[in-house]
Amino acid sequence: MAVDLNLFITEETIEGDADAEGPLADATVAVKDNISTEGVRTTCGSELLADYVPPYSATVVDRLTDAGATVVGKANMDEFGMGTTTETSAFGPTRNPADPQRVPGGSSGGSAAAVAAGEADLALGSDTGGSVRCPAAFCGVVGIKPTYGLVSRYGLVAYANSLEQIGPIAGTVEEAAAALDVIAGPDPRDGTTRDPADAEGADPDASYAAAADGDVDGLAVGIPTELFEGADERVVETVEAAIADLEARGAETAEISLPSVEHAVQAYYVIAMAEASSNLARFDGVRYGNRADSDGNWNESFAETREEGFGAEVKRRILLGTYALSAGYHDKYYEKAQDARAWVRRDFEDAFADVDVIASPTMPVLPFELGESLDDPLRMYLADANTTPVNLANLPAISVPAGEADGLPVGLQLVGPKFGEERVIRAASAVEDAN
């Protein structure tokens, strides 16, 4: 009897352009349910938005359908993108196709699991602190977190604006890169976007898919000791074998240090929760979402709506974020977190003066068993130790399958300098070819 993996919240279809030609013609896509789809429910995995139907589609959805792809459903996710396991969804947890008794990672778990289960050719996720790369690693597929500003966030329900990016998930590096070719580029509706082709010396005809050629001869790969320390030995062995494959293909490796990443998780969660407390203030039952049946005044109705509509993890992050921004604590927490963020960015800049890409385990652990981390949120937060520094520095990264440990997928993370997507895609394709 087949196991219900609970991949989709909504299984409505948005047809692609039937006349489109190119790499995405006839492709099927699962879209994370915090990305707006005109006429199709967009719930963010929350009871508060269970019936919300947006009047417009996100730029990335329009670009995919214009390229011929068909949206086959809205993928399950951690509520408002807050989680590492896709267990905080109001619609129940998604299961990992590799082992249905384990989580698929999060918060884009439904997207990665849909691709891994063969229910979609491609998927879109959003990555605030690893939410594309984590489920890609746990489910044994490819996930790309683009440079901040490469892909429009118009139509993405905001969690932490300064950190998050929409990224593609696919079964192969070339397929993920082809999807990135379609969704990348400036958008007049998102003032944070920019066109890397405008940079001095850039090739305006460059293709991310064409970069998936496996040619890493002479590529300098940095190995940060801090991102291997404390990782599960089985994960480390699998990732080291994948790095050895890169060396066998002509890459050169060197040990490097990123001392700031010791503080990255703490800085990330202070910043992300602070931004979330502001962004989620709009969900009050008046402007957006379901409203509680209350006989009280506006303040009482507001409180009851949010009490009923938000899950425990979302409430926790709103409360902590509000506290970090409150009078007397802003300097103590939020400003220090921003200082740590600048330190992380400088460490990466210094590292890329000597190496082309940086390699590490995507996740330091194997996929959790269902329910294993729900009672210990701190453990869940610490699992993001290798992915959050990338978001703090607004850099591109990819998770590519490195192999398996005890029958479970392990991901290799490759990080590049700003707008260095071609580098990480080329290196990832070499790892993929070796496997």
Side-chain angles (χ1 to χ4, degrees):
M1 179 175 167
V3 175
D4 179 10
L5 299 175
N6 196 26
L7 303 176
F8 297 104
I9 294 174
T10 303
E11 294 189 62
E12 295 184 48
T13 298
I14 302 176
E15 295 291 341
D17 182 354
D19 296 325
E21 298 180 0
L24 299 191
D26 301 322
T28 56
V29 184
V31 175
K32 188 176 181 179
D33 207 28
N34 61 346
I35 299 173
S36 292
T37 41
E38 181 179 1
V40 176
R41 280 195 310 154
T42 298
T43 73
C44 294
S46 179
E47 196 65 50
L48 195 66
L49 292 178
D51 302 313
Y52 174 65
V53 178
Y56 68 98
S57 286
T59 296
V60 289
V61 173
D62 285 340
R63 288 179 176 176
L64 286 174
T65 54
D66 288 347
T70 295
V71 174
V72 293
K74 303 301 293 294
N76 198 15
M77 58 178 285
D78 282 303
E79 185 179 10
F80 285 101
M82 300 181 187
T84 308
T85 63
T86 313
E87 292 178 287
T88 70
S89 170
F91 305 97
T94 292
R95 295 174 180 268
N96 192 328
D99 180 350
Q101 298 309 309
R102 294 182 181 265
V103 304
S107 61
S108 309
S111 296
V115 172
E119 296 299 319
D121 300 320
L122 306 167
L124 290 182
S126 63
D127 193 310
T128 309
S131 293
V132 163
R133 290 160 289 153
C134 166
F138 277 4
C139 292
V141 293
V142 177
I144 299 176
K145 182 267 174 198
T147 304
Y148 186 85
L150 181 65
V151 176
S152 173
R153 290 183 297 110
Y154 178 78
L156 173 66
V157 179
Y159 162 20
N161 309 59
S162 74
L163 298 164
E164 60 200 5
Q165 270 286 266
I166 294 172
I169 298 171
T172 69
V173 174
E174 186 175 4
E175 289 170 336
L180 184 61
D181 275 323
V182 171
I183 64 175
D187 179 7
R189 295 174 294 185
D190 179 357
T192 67
T193 56
R194 57 173 290 192
D195 190 345
D198 293 338
E200 184 177 352
D203 180 0
D205 299 320
S207 163
Y208 297 119
D213 59 12
D215 182 8
V216 293
D217 189 31
L219 187 78
V221 181
I223 313 297
T225 55
E226 293 87 355
L227 298 186
F228 285 78
E229 293 172 354
D232 187 300
E233 289 183 5
R234 296 166 294 179
V235 170
V236 171
E237 289 176 3
T238 306
V239 168
E240 287 179 342
I243 293 172
D245 289 335
L246 285 174
E247 291 178 311
R249 289 172 170 262
E252 301 170 359
T253 61
E255 190 173 287
I256 64 170
S257 180
L258 299 170
S260 62
V261 300
E262 178 185 353
H263 306 288
V265 170
Q266 299 95 310
Y268 165 80
Y269 274 104
V270 169
I271 294 168
M273 291 179 184
E275 293 186 14
S277 74
S278 176
N279 280 322
L280 271 63
R282 74 193 71 180
F283 300 108
D284 55 10
V286 177
R287 290 165 290 187
Y288 294 98
N290 299 327
R291 184 187 304 184
D293 185 11
S294 173
D295 296 326
N297 59 31
W298 183 86
N299 285 328
E300 291 169 342
S301 175
F302 175 84
E304 290 177 24
T305 293
R306 290 162 71 84
E307 168 64 26
E308 291 180 10
F310 288 144
E313 183 60 31
V314 173
K315 292 174 187 173
R316 180 183 296 115
R317 298 193 188 196
I318 290 173
L319 287 170
L320 289 171
T322 303
Y323 179 79
L325 290 175
S326 62
Y329 295 98
H330 180 276
D331 294 350
K332 186 177 182 181
Y333 296 110
Y334 186 72
E335 285 196 9
K336 284 189 176 180
Q338 292 290 8
D339 289 342
R341 181 178 193 171
W343 183 17
V344 170
R345 186 178 294 119
R346 285 196 301 270
D347 272 359
F348 274 109
E349 288 173 354
D350 290 345
F352 285 122
D354 299 317
V355 300
D356 297 313
V357 299
I358 294 172
S360 74
T362 306
M363 299 299 290
V365 294
L366 295 173
F368 302 115
E369 293 184 359
L370 286 165
E372 185 179 349
S373 65
L374 285 180
D375 295 329
D376 188 359
L378 183 58
R379 182 187 181 195
M380 181 171 64
Y381 299 163
L382 291 174
D384 296 333
N386 288 12
T387 54
T388 54
V390 176
N391 298 77
L392 290 173
N394 297 140
L395 299 176
I398 190 169
S399 179
V400 61
E404 293 186 348
D406 293 346
L408 296 170
V410 174
L412 168 69
Q413 176 178 249
L414 294 158
V415 184
K418 286 184 179 180
F419 300 105
E421 276 77 5
E422 291 178 42
R423 293 190 197 178
V424 297
I425 287 168
R426 181 166 287 113
S429 67
V431 174
E432 183 179 71
D433 290 346
N435 287 329

